[in-house]
Amino acid sequence: MIKAINLLPEKVMVQRVSAGIEDDTLLSPSWCYVKHQQMKAIRKAFKNEGLLY
């Protein structure tokens, strides 16, 4: 995701990088069940790259 965001023009804003669901309707990807853990990892990766979040 970091590589893809770095390819975007500077004036392009990304509004959503993840979604979460906590029931049987989720088919894929399974990591959406642990959205908070994934968002923490995404924030850390953004910070390491100097990207604003």
Side-chain angles (χ1 to χ4, degrees):
M1 180 174 52
I2 298 297
K3 288 179 183 180
I5 289 174
N6 279 327
L7 292 173
L8 294 173
E10 189 174 313
K11 292 186 178 187
V12 171
M13 181 183 297
V14 177
Q15 292 189 353
R16 180 179 286 188
V17 296
S18 179
I21 190 165
E22 297 178 6
D23 63 28
D24 305 6
T25 61
L26 179 68
L27 300 176
S28 184
S30 60
W31 60 261
C32 283
Y33 284 118
V34 289
K35 178 183 176 185
H36 297 294
Q37 291 174 352
Q38 291 301 321
M39 291 307 299
K40 185 177 179 181
I42 289 168
R43 281 189 210 102
K44 182 178 180 180
F46 280 9
K47 184 177 180 182
N48 290 342
E49 290 290 321
L51 297 171
L52 295 176
Y53 173 76

